[in-house]
Amino acid sequence: MVRWAAGTGRDPDRVVDPGTGSGRFLLAAGKAFPNAALVAVEPDALAGLLLRANARVLGMDGRLTLLSADYRSISLPEIPAPTLFVGNPPYVRHHGISQYWKDWFANGARQLGLKASKLAGLHVHFLLKTHELAANGDYGAFITAAGSTSTTATSFGSS
């Protein structure tokens, strides 16, 4: 994912990892884009602690913002340059998703003119949220579950 993003020739001002865990993908992006702010979204406190330690060891702790929240509930300030979204959203089947979030997903998809099943896994919720957060010129890649591991890469907006 990071190699693909670096190969686009675009340098993001911000990198967002929406399920950061210990920071594997976010910190790899931090190495590839040394001037980018790093935004981690991770609700698990232990994973957040590991992330902070890893960022410190790599000298990236000054660039790191950790949002201890559910990715679907965050907002991001607008910035004038591109944001790169990278990561491996957690694989949670619909059985582990509350009715509130299933309704949020279905309503959000409907507002985009899409038909969406409330039986979608959490990774699909992350794609919808990324669409909501992204501005023209933003881009990203996620590893998602689809029977086998695959990478989904896309640019957002019209630039």
Side-chain angles (χ1 to χ4, degrees), residues 1 18 24 26 42-43 61-62 67 71 83 95 107 110 118-119 126 129 131-132 139 144 159:
M1 290 184 299
R24 178 179 182 175
L26 183 66
E42 179 52 62
D61 50 326
L67 304 176
Y71 181 58
T83 294
H95 306 87
N107 291 334
R110 188 171 27 260
K118 292 183 181 182
L119 303 181
F126 276 41
K129 182 61 180 188
H131 176 79
E132 288 181 358
Y139 60 117
T144 60
S159 28

Side-chain angles (χ1 to χ4, degrees), residues 86-154:
V86 296
N88 182 9
Y91 182 72
V92 176
R93 295 181 63 192
H94 74 91
H95 306 87
I97 299 173
S98 73
Q99 190 62 47
Y100 171 84
W101 287 115
K102 289 179 179 185
D103 292 342
W104 168 88
F105 175 70
N107 291 334
R110 188 171 27 260
Q111 289 174 6
L112 294 171
L114 302 172
K115 197 187 248 187
S117 171
K118 292 183 181 182
L119 303 181
L122 185 61
H123 61 288
V124 184
H125 290 218
F126 276 41
L127 294 173
L128 176 63
K129 182 61 180 188
T130 301
H131 176 79
E132 288 181 358
L133 293 171
N136 284 342
D138 291 350
Y139 60 117
F142 292 143
I143 295 173
T144 60
S148 63
T149 305
S150 61
T151 302
T152 302
T154 189

